[in-house]
Amino acid sequence: MTRRYRPPPETVATGRAYPLAAVKKAVLAAALAASLLGGEVLLTWAESLPVHPISDQVVAAAAFWRDATFSVGLTKPADLLRDQFRRLQDIH
Amino acid sequence: MLFPTLAFGLFFLLVFFASWALRGHNRLRIGLLVAASYVFYGFWDWRFCFLLAGSTALNWIAGELVYRAEGERRRTIVAIAVALNLVVLGLFKYFDFFLLSLADLLGSLGLTPSLPFLAIAVPIGLSFFTFHGISYVVDIARGDLDKPAKPLDMLLYISFFPQLVAGPILRAAHFLPQIARAPDPSDIRATLALLLILGGLFKKVVVANSLAVDLVDPIFREPDAYGAADLLLASYGYALQIYCDFSAYTDIAIGLAALLGYRFPQNFDQPYRAASLRDFWRRWHMSLSSWLRDYLYIPLGGDTGNWKRYRNLFLTMLLGGLWHGAAWHFVIWGALHGAWLILERLIGMDRLPRWLGVVITFHFVCLCWIFFRAQDAGMAFEFLAGFARWEGPSQLTPYLAFLMLGMAGAQFLPRDRVERVERALAFIPLWLLGAIAGIAILAIDRMGPDGVAPFIYFAF
């Protein structure tokens, strides 16, 4: 007994369609916003890379970026959120 | 390279922009996506890229032969191709399991022969790309695919990185036509894609990882150190953890594929609101259950004959259990599901009030998850024996209770909840939604426990 193939339901089938130019801007905006506020995360990631002359440069660039964003207070929201969540998780 | 990592984020950014830059040259674009997929897979162990390429070549050649053959010869080629796929799967995944079981059996008879154990790590995603290969050959034989795939299309179908290691399982007849035609750059379902990615990251990083680290793992590691209340909470916790973990992976995969212009099938549909186990399997890992139905249950005979259909159902679930891992606790998990599905048909589960069906089904599924999660069958029985030790909960915190209640409640939200959110956000320009998504990704990272745990289904 065989059964003819029926296409499965697709999760995004009902979504609103956007043109590529708009999607590119959105993806860039996401990357920019995350990197502006996530200097600390970038540095932690860079420091976890295997030791290599290139990764040394990546670490130096990430440290510069973290210091620059820290000096204008952009790393504060993420740090604050982390502290508050740790406090919440520790309530017994 | 795991989805919720910065390394993957950078990788995806590169692939996204490079692939759309080649939108006017579909063959080049496919080549780029294949190369990216092999880089992604090679991050775990580059040697397994040869296995992935070998599996692709085997099934592509089989597809060509099947397409040109007819009648009995066609059936023979399909049988050989499926058997070869299963041999590869069996060699890596089950060879040592069967030898170990044989050694145990012989040991109980006082014999201690030296058996040739392979002791090879199971390649990540092996079952998933094997299923894709089998789907390709069988779909050609059944006529669901009009013609065999071009080699490059076949390479992408088997290796496409968003689904490569944990699904959803793509049917050849569904995905190959999408690869062959260039994605439409004016039709990218971006808001839904972003919502799926964010929701998936939240479920994985915040919910699944927190439940695993603070509740499930410690209790399943030492079930005899805990009383009934903790064991019950751990079994509920694992039910929610595995749902959040696995559905997160597929949601992210669906979202990433959508940003690249491809459509993946739905894989989860609020499974814990199911009023019967049959209903559960229509909502849980839908791409696997439909695969098992079409490529195993129906070829076994499906619903024909009274006792035969029960046999087919039981065998399908038993093999589904074994697919998850070469261990007896997975076999028991599959057998329990098979037996309950038969029982439901015999007693007519659908006559029960819906709420009662939901409660019974959820608790039966939780019972089965104990076998699924335990390190081995012995630990699962130890876990169950612990329900006789009545002690109050010691591990539950307000935060974990909030996460568990929230995720359980989400099972009963409207089915079109994501679409509703999309409509509610329609007034926000997409670039601003993108910026908000970037901030949300960072926030999710900060809210989760330290470190990145692999997805549970990477092991299967």
Side-chain angles (χ1 to χ4, degrees):
Chain A
M1 181 179 145
T2 58
R3 177 182 177 129
R4 284 297 299 174
Y5 172 73
R6 282 180 302 173
E10 293 166 342
T11 309
V12 296
T14 55
R16 181 176 163 193
Y18 287 92
L20 178 60
V23 181
K24 278 182 177 174
K25 279 182 203 162
V27 172
L28 276 178
L32 188 66
S35 54
L36 270 176
L37 298 173
E40 192 66 49
V41 179
L42 275 172
L43 181 60
T44 308
W45 169 76
E47 286 173 343
S48 71
L49 293 172
V51 177
H52 188 271
I54 296 174
S55 60
D56 289 347
Q57 290 178 14
V58 175
V59 171
F64 171 79
W65 183 251
R66 196 279 310 266
D67 292 344
T69 52
F70 178 80
S71 64
V72 289
L74 284 173
T75 55
K76 262 189 185 167
D79 292 341
L80 190 67
L81 184 69
R82 190 168 190 78
D83 292 344
Q84 292 302 320
F85 252 82
R86 290 291 171 272
R87 204 173 290 173
L88 190 65
Q89 286 160 2
D90 288 342
I91 297 172
H92 281 84
Chain B
M1 203 178 339
L2 298 165
F3 284 167
T5 59
L6 189 58
F8 180 79
L10 294 172
F11 167 82
F12 184 74
L13 274 180
L14 282 176
V15 174
F16 173 81
F17 284 103
S19 68
W20 282 115
L22 293 172
R23 65 184 176 281
H25 313 275
N26 197 35
R27 307 310 301 163
L28 281 176
R29 188 177 197 264
I30 294 169
L32 173 90
L33 290 173
V34 169
S37 299
Y38 272 77
V39 168
F40 175 80
Y41 194 57
F43 255 77
W44 276 285
D45 190 332
W46 60 269
R47 291 169 300 178
F48 290 140
C49 288
F50 294 104
L51 179 68
L52 183 62
S55 170
T56 309
L58 162 74
N59 288 297
W60 182 77
I61 292 166
E64 291 289 322
L65 294 174
V66 166
Y67 184 67
R68 292 190 177 97
E70 283 180 359
E72 193 56 39
R73 185 175 150 77
R74 173 177 274 207
R75 279 191 287 278
T76 307
I77 297 169
V78 171
I80 292 170
V82 171
L84 284 173
N85 274 294
L86 295 179
V87 164
V88 174
L89 186 67
L91 194 66
F92 281 97
K93 207 164 170 177
Y94 304 110
F95 188 75
D96 281 2
F97 166 66
F98 286 119
L99 278 193
L100 193 63
S101 300
L102 182 65
D104 286 346
L105 180 71
L106 294 175
S108 66
L109 299 172
L111 303 169
T112 51
S114 166
L115 296 172
F117 287 100
L118 290 177
I120 306 173
V122 180
I124 280 184
L126 172 66
S127 319
F128 287 94
F129 64 73
T130 302
F131 280 4
H132 283 115
I134 292 173
S135 167
Y136 174 70
V137 175
V138 174
D139 282 2
I140 288 183
R142 286 179 179 171
D144 290 336
L145 271 174
D146 295 337
K147 56 183 179 186
K150 292 176 181 168
L152 203 55
D153 294 7
M154 182 70 182
L155 278 165
L156 186 59
Y157 164 59
I158 300 282
S159 69
F160 190 37
F161 69 88
Q163 53 75 38
L164 175 57
V165 290
I169 298 165
L170 306 177
R171 298 295 185 83
H174 180 242
F175 195 54
L176 276 167
Q178 291 190 54
I179 297 174
R181 60 173 185 266
D184 181 355
S186 66
D187 181 11
I188 305 172
R189 311 295 165 109
T191 318
L192 268 190
L194 289 176
L195 288 172
L196 285 169
I197 292 169
L198 286 178
L201 288 172
F202 181 82
K203 283 192 284 187
K204 169 62 183 164
V205 176
V206 180
V207 186
N209 286 359
S210 299
L211 288 175
V213 170
D214 295 331
L215 180 70
V216 176
D217 290 353
I219 295 176
F220 270 90
R221 203 178 300 126
E222 283 183 290
D224 52 355
Y226 296 91
D230 277 327
L231 296 174
L232 185 65
L233 286 168
S235 54
Y236 288 161
Y238 185 64
L240 294 168
Q241 182 206 338
I242 192 170
Y243 166 71
C244 288
D245 191 287
F246 191 18
S247 70
Y249 184 91
T250 52
D251 283 354
I252 297 169
I254 291 166
L256 295 173
L259 288 178
L260 293 171
Y262 299 105
R263 306 254 186 104
F264 280 2
Q266 186 183 7
N267 212 25
F268 287 89
D269 181 15
Q270 298 171 302
Y272 295 136
R273 73 188 292 174
S276 66
L277 198 59
R278 194 180 187 186
D279 188 18
F280 174 81
W281 279 106
R282 288 183 180 140
R283 296 164 176 274
W284 177 273
H285 202 177
M286 294 151 75
S287 61
L288 174 69
S289 22
S290 67
W291 195 98
L292 289 173
R293 180 196 66 207
D294 290 352
Y295 299 104
L296 186 58
Y297 180 66
I298 290 173
L300 279 171
D303 271 336
T304 51
N306 251 341
W307 76 269
K308 274 187 184 170
R309 76 174 168 171
Y310 296 134
R311 179 203 66 183
N312 298 339
L313 197 55
F314 189 77
L315 271 177
T316 302
M317 294 315 295
L318 197 67
L319 291 171
L322 195 59
W323 169 74
H324 283 91
W328 288 111
H329 60 112
F330 288 123
V331 176
I332 295 171
W333 176 83
L336 283 171
H337 273 268
W340 189 264
L341 282 168
I342 293 169
L343 191 69
E344 270 186 2
R345 289 192 178 195
L346 291 173
I347 64 169
M349 182 83 169
D350 46 5
R351 282 180 304 189
L352 291 176
R354 184 170 169 80
W355 69 268
L356 187 58
V358 171
V359 171
I360 291 173
T361 303
F362 176 70
H363 283 87
F364 180 75
V365 169
C366 285
L367 169 72
C368 296
W369 283 138
I370 294 171
F371 285 92
F372 192 92
R373 170 61 180 81
Q375 274 180 317
D376 54 46
M379 288 286 270
F381 287 115
E382 208 173 284
F383 191 103
L384 289 172
F387 281 105
R389 281 190 304 276
W390 176 252
E391 286 166 30
S394 65
Q395 292 292 304
L396 190 66
T397 63
Y399 177 68
L400 290 176
F402 173 75
L403 288 184
M404 288 172 72
L405 287 172
M407 290 319 297
Q411 297 290 304
F412 298 94
L413 290 174
R415 292 177 87 168
D416 62 344
R417 60 206 176 282
V418 187
E419 290 82 354
R420 286 184 189 208
V421 175
E422 186 196 22
R423 283 197 293 274
L425 298 175
F427 70 97
I428 303 176
L430 189 62
W431 68 266
L432 187 54
L433 273 182
I436 295 168
I439 295 168
I441 288 170
L442 181 66
I444 289 168
D445 175 74
R446 301 285 83 186
M447 290 190 289
D450 292 327
V452 185
F455 287 89
I456 293 173
Y457 261 70
F458 277 22
F460 307 136

